[in-house]
Amino acid sequence: MKSRKILYILFIAVLAFGCKSEDLGPSNDFYEYEASFASATGRILYPFGRYKLAALENNSNIIYNVDLEIKNEKDSEGFFIINGQCNANFYFAKFEADFVKQTVRINGVASTKIGGTYNELLFEKDFLERLSKVTSYQFSVDGTKLIFLLPTNDQKLIFDLNKN
């Protein structure tokens, strides 16, 4: 009886002290959808996921297909990875973020040079320049849009959450 009591106490001690909780950042399960809805609960908002460009500022007449993926993984230098496709070319960049403050710094924005029409390439150049200047992000109230904010002229890149 005494050994059973000691085992019970040891079991409780292991449960109480052996299970250490650490915030190691976002898990892959928190990848795409739940991050968008976290603001209502006061949790940290992680921008990881796949998106489609919906608008620049208040202009929703985007005629070009622009995909964005923010990966929940880091490269060998410790930066998170962004990649996507803008018209005919693929682009990529590195970013670091303060997820509590919802600030971000995007570095090394570059793209392939596959081609495209003159207007597609002008749009792509503008998009990539804007992307390289993003300083913070926020989500729409309903959690379906990721909004990248630029420091000047109230410029924004507004993305729809891609649920595919």
Side-chain angles (χ1 to χ4, degrees), residues 11-134:
F11 178 73
I12 297 299
V14 167
L15 284 177
F17 300 107
C19 299
K20 185 177 176 186
S21 174
E22 294 183 41
D23 183 11
L24 298 175
S27 70
N28 286 331
D29 295 335
F30 196 67
Y31 192 97
E32 292 183 34
Y33 308 111
E34 292 185 33
S36 300
F37 301 100
S39 62
T41 64
R43 295 185 338 207
I44 296 173
L45 298 171
Y46 298 104
F48 303 112
R50 292 182 182 100
Y51 302 91
K52 289 213 173 277
L53 184 65
L56 303 174
E57 291 82 47
N58 295 323
N59 177 7
S60 60
N61 295 326
I62 303 295
I63 61 171
Y64 301 111
N65 186 27
V66 179
D67 296 320
L68 170 77
E69 181 178 14
I70 304 173
K71 293 189 175 187
N72 184 11
E73 62 186 68
K74 292 184 178 181
D75 67 8
S76 62
E77 297 173 333
F79 293 101
F80 287 100
I81 301 166
I82 292 178
N83 63 30
Q85 185 172 6
C86 186
N87 307 318
N89 294 305
F90 296 93
Y91 66 92
F92 40 91
K94 302 174 180 189
F95 86 101
E96 53 190 336
D98 181 334
F99 298 117
V100 172
K101 295 179 182 176
Q102 292 182 260
T103 59
V104 65
R105 184 176 346 169
I106 299 175
N107 302 308
V109 176
S111 72
T112 60
K113 305 294 182 201
I114 296 170
T117 67
Y118 177 76
N119 287 335
E120 286 174 333
L121 294 175
L122 277 179
F123 178 83
E124 184 175 290
K125 181 181 178 193
D126 180 55
F127 169 75
L128 294 175
E129 285 176 1
R130 287 173 182 243
L131 187 63
S132 70
K133 295 176 184 174
V134 169

